[in-house]
Amino acid sequence: MSMIDDEIILERVSAWGQTIKGFRHEHAIEAIQGGKLILQGLRGKGGDWAHMPARCSTQDAAFAFVAEMALLFWLDDCYDLALLADDELALAVAVLTGREHAAPAHLKGCEVIRQTLAEYAASAAEYQNLLEHTAAYAHALATERERSADNCSYSEYLENGIASIGYHNVLGCLSLLWGLGMPEQMRSTAFRATLRRVCIIGRLQNDLHTAAEECVGPLVANAASVVARMTSAFPVAFVEQELAGHGRLLDRHLATQPLDETWQPLVTILRSIRESYYEKSVQRYRRSSQDA
Amino acid sequence: MSMIDDEIILERVSAWGQTIKGFRHEHAIEAIQGGKLILQGLRGKGGDWAHMPARCSTQDAAFAFVAEMALLFWLDDCYDLALLADDELALAVAVLTGREHAAPAHLKGCEVIRQTLAEYAASAAEYQNLLEHTAAYAHALATERERSADNCSYSEYLENGIASIGYHNVLGCLSLLWGLGMPEQMRSTAFRATLRRVCIIGRLQNDLHTAAEECVGPLVANAASVVARMTSAFPVAFVEQELAGHGRLLDRHLATQPLDETWQPLVTILRSIRESYYEKSVQRYRRSSQDA
């Protein structure tokens, strides 16, 4: 990442995060770790940048991208850990989805990141695309929280997990900054099918990691716990098989419906996130054992 | 079914079936029972026919539809029970998918039903649509047979089960005879999503029935056995939950993407097939206990 200075990005994201209630340093740390991984997908075979940001410097784009990823972690915790009062959360979501434009001082960072991304967006359609995926992400997180006490089937859990994993936002933000044309891609049935499969794979990878770490006490929203509730077992093996199976289904889909050279590397990175990201995550996904 | 005489249809289907090796009377019996159920979807609120066949009499259309359904049962048994030698099966599939046009004497019925449906088809596109779904059905049955010894994940099993349940053929044949426009409908993403969900629901209903009857010895291709292999349990409860969950997902989908008045009754019938069909099935799905 020759053109991105990690320390500078981390400092900017941390300063920005101080204007958001409940924002933690670990959100920024995890975001820069995950963000750098994804940004590799924008580099060509020689390792140089195959794309450049549409409307800002690479440094500014990297800041905005990492800040948005940190925001996704923070929003997830807002639902899981109740960092905000309900009306504060509703307002934050309204700002992040473009329904409100002004935020109070303790949520000012939400307003700032949306203004920044609107300014940096390659097109109005790219910005609209990000807002829509943010709405779907927040809705899925809310559904997960509501459901935790209820019954829900494995397939309903997975359907919701496609949005709650946040990959649409990650790719949407990249697309907005580097002008990758996600709004046009989303009109293709084949592309949506690919993304759907990649998100399921991401969801299962995340859940297997969380189940293995046993880091959040009772696993309220986890594929393994959803299945366990019905089979009186702890079927990590089932979820492992599911993950392998979705991988094969994705391979088969891509064999006949290949992605273009912009999107293929991004999908490859997202698929390998278990090995390249979760294995290295020492902050977010091992929190409770450290906190305990 | 005032305009359809069951006895006459059964006689015609049985006579036709005598020209197909391995065809059993139960294939015709099950087909007329299931077929009459589906045909209710073509009747309006007053119970009268809301649609009429495009190119033949109602009696002829009913014969062709029931024969095609019997053919689906027979083809399923060809793969499950090895009624034909491999080269015979390959030839039958080639005729049924339009790749070959002539069949030998012991498979003549395959040729006849395709000629009949080509003649009765509301349009060339409707006939082509049926051939394509037949190819997908045969491919899914072959995949199920090949996999039975192997490992496959629940999601891969379900993905294949969408085609192996045969609902695309059932609806495709109805559409061909009564001119319901399935080829146009299939161009709609929303319609395909609905059909996909309906097929999953059908697959799970079928598998739960088969699991409950324990009628085919070891359950080689069954959602419950696929899950059981991984969790060392017999998780009918899991599959029951999955069925309920897919039903809720379908409801949610239809709430925003309703079907038109032609397709809604057909989907309603397919969804209720567990209560209205399997519960009454005394032939096909209780075979082994009778044969034993």
Side-chain angles (χ1 to χ4, degrees):
Chain A
M1 294 289 154
S2 58
M3 293 171 73
I4 297 179
D5 185 321
D6 287 6
E7 286 307 313
I8 293 175
I9 300 291
L10 187 58
E11 213 166 281
R12 284 180 71 179
V13 173
S14 291
W16 161 79
Q18 280 170 17
T19 66
I20 301 181
K21 181 180 173 184
F23 190 90
R24 296 162 68 154
H25 190 60
E26 68 170 62
H27 295 136
I29 295 280
E30 291 289 328
I32 201 158
Q33 190 182 331
K36 281 174 64 180
L37 188 71
I38 307 286
L39 287 172
Q40 289 173 19
L42 298 182
R43 318 200 92 173
K45 283 181 182 166
D48 53 329
W49 291 84
H51 303 267
M52 292 304 288
R55 308 264 305 261
C56 60
S57 70
T58 298
Q59 201 73 234
D60 285 343
F63 156 71
F65 179 60
V66 173
E68 179 73 7
M69 290 202 63
L71 194 79
L72 297 177
F73 288 130
W74 167 80
L75 197 58
D76 187 27
D77 282 350
C78 285
Y79 285 94
D80 281 357
L81 310 175
L83 301 178
L84 304 181
D86 281 355
D87 60 337
E88 291 175 322
L89 180 53
L91 180 56
V93 169
V95 171
L96 293 174
T97 57
R99 286 182 288 110
E100 293 282 349
H101 297 285
H106 67 291
L107 294 171
K108 191 54 75 182
C110 296
E111 180 186 323
V112 168
I113 190 64
R114 281 295 167 269
Q115 278 176 349
T116 304
L117 289 172
E119 184 191 331
Y120 292 175
S123 70
E126 290 276 11
Y127 185 62
Q128 190 56 37
N129 176 65
L130 183 70
L131 295 182
E132 282 164 19
H133 292 312
T134 304
Y137 177 66
H139 184 263
L141 294 177
T143 302
E144 242 165 41
R145 183 169 70 168
E146 282 161 25
R147 269 189 189 158
S148 58
D150 291 322
N151 246 354
C152 93
S153 74
Y154 172 72
S155 42
E156 288 170 294
Y157 172 78
L158 215 53
E159 196 72 29
N160 196 64
I162 290 170
S164 75
I165 192 65
Y167 282 4
H168 284 88
N169 289 64
V170 172
L171 296 174
C173 187
L174 264 196
S175 183
L176 176 154
L177 291 162
W178 274 269
L180 307 183
M182 187 166 171
E184 293 78 47
Q185 291 279 0
M186 289 296 284
R187 284 201 280 273
S188 147
T189 306
F191 185 82
R192 290 200 308 275
T194 298
L195 217 50
R196 183 185 159 84
R197 194 71 68 191
V198 169
C199 290
I200 289 177
I201 288 172
R203 177 79 273 158
L204 295 178
Q205 289 182 331
N206 177 286
D207 287 9
L208 282 168
H209 182 78
T210 313
E213 293 286 328
E214 291 180 282
C215 65
V216 286
L219 293 165
V220 287
N222 187 293
S225 64
V226 170
V227 177
R229 211 163 48 217
M230 285 168 281
T231 59
S232 315
F234 194 73
V236 167
F238 172 79
V239 181
E240 288 277 8
Q241 282 282 356
E242 279 293 285
L243 175 57
H246 282 290
R248 292 188 291 264
L249 289 167
L250 179 59
D251 284 337
R252 209 177 310 155
H253 176 70
L254 289 173
T256 56
Q257 307 273 354
L259 291 166
D260 65 25
E261 58 191 11
T262 294
W263 290 90
Q264 182 55 57
L266 294 170
V267 161
T268 301
I269 286 169
L270 289 176
R271 283 189 75 167
S272 68
I273 218 151
R274 188 182 196 185
E275 294 76 26
S276 53
Y277 178 70
Y278 289 123
E279 296 298 315
K280 293 175 186 161
S281 165
V282 290
Q283 297 272 335
R284 179 174 171 76
Y285 292 100
R286 300 192 182 176
R287 190 168 55 224
S288 67
S289 55
Q290 290 186 335
D291 289 357
Chain B
M1 293 287 155
S2 57
M3 295 171 72
I4 297 180
D5 184 321
D6 288 6
E7 286 306 312
I8 292 174
I9 300 291
L10 187 59
E11 213 166 281
R12 285 180 72 178
V13 172
S14 291
W16 161 79
Q18 280 170 19
T19 65
I20 301 181
K21 180 180 175 186
F23 191 90
R24 296 162 68 155
H25 190 59
E26 67 170 64
H27 295 136
I29 295 280
E30 291 288 328
I32 201 159
Q33 190 180 330
K36 280 175 64 180
L37 189 72
I38 307 285
L39 287 172
Q40 289 173 20
L42 299 182
R43 318 199 94 173
K45 284 181 182 166
D48 53 328
W49 292 84
H51 303 267
M52 291 305 287
R55 308 264 305 262
C56 59
S57 70
T58 299
Q59 201 72 234
D60 285 342
F63 156 70
F65 179 60
V66 172
E68 179 73 8
M69 291 201 64
L71 193 79
L72 297 177
F73 289 130
W74 168 79
L75 198 57
D76 188 26
D77 282 351
C78 284
Y79 285 94
D80 282 357
L81 309 176
L83 301 179
L84 303 182
D86 282 355
D87 60 337
E88 290 175 323
L89 180 53
L91 181 56
V93 170
V95 171
L96 293 173
T97 57
R99 287 183 287 110
E100 293 282 349
H101 297 284
H106 66 292
L107 294 170
K108 191 55 75 179
C110 298
E111 181 186 323
V112 169
I113 189 65
R114 282 294 166 271
Q115 278 176 350
T116 303
L117 289 170
E119 185 192 329
Y120 291 174
S123 70
E126 291 276 11
Y127 185 63
Q128 190 55 37
N129 176 64
L130 183 71
L131 294 182
E132 283 165 17
H133 292 312
T134 305
Y137 177 66
H139 184 262
L141 294 177
T143 302
E144 242 166 40
R145 182 168 72 168
E146 282 161 23
R147 269 188 188 159
S148 59
D150 291 323
N151 245 354
C152 94
S153 73
Y154 172 73
S155 43
E156 287 170 294
Y157 172 77
L158 216 52
E159 197 72 28
N160 196 64
I162 290 169
S164 74
I165 192 65
Y167 282 5
H168 284 87
N169 289 64
V170 172
L171 296 173
C173 187
L174 264 194
S175 183
L176 175 154
L177 291 162
W178 275 268
L180 307 183
M182 186 166 173
E184 293 77 47
Q185 291 280 2
M186 289 295 285
R187 283 201 282 273
S188 147
T189 306
F191 184 82
R192 289 200 308 274
T194 298
L195 215 50
R196 183 184 159 83
R197 193 71 68 190
V198 169
C199 291
I200 289 177
I201 289 172
R203 178 78 272 158
L204 295 178
Q205 290 182 332
N206 177 285
D207 287 10
L208 282 168
H209 182 78
T210 312
E213 293 286 328
E214 291 181 282
C215 64
V216 287
L219 292 164
V220 289
N222 187 294
S225 65
V226 170
V227 177
R229 210 161 51 216
M230 285 168 280
T231 58
S232 314
F234 194 73
V236 167
F238 172 79
V239 181
E240 288 278 7
Q241 281 283 355
E242 279 292 285
L243 175 58
H246 282 290
R248 292 188 290 265
L249 288 167
L250 179 59
D251 284 337
R252 208 177 308 156
H253 177 68
L254 289 173
T256 57
Q257 309 273 354
L259 291 167
D260 65 25
E261 58 191 12
T262 293
W263 289 90
Q264 181 56 55
L266 294 169
V267 161
T268 301
I269 286 169
L270 288 175
R271 283 188 74 168
S272 69
I273 218 152
R274 189 183 196 186
E275 294 76 26
S276 53
Y277 177 70
Y278 289 123
E279 296 299 317
K280 294 176 186 160
S281 165
V282 289
Q283 297 273 336
R284 179 172 171 79
Y285 292 101
R286 299 194 180 174
R287 188 168 55 224
S288 65
S289 56
Q290 290 186 332
D291 290 356

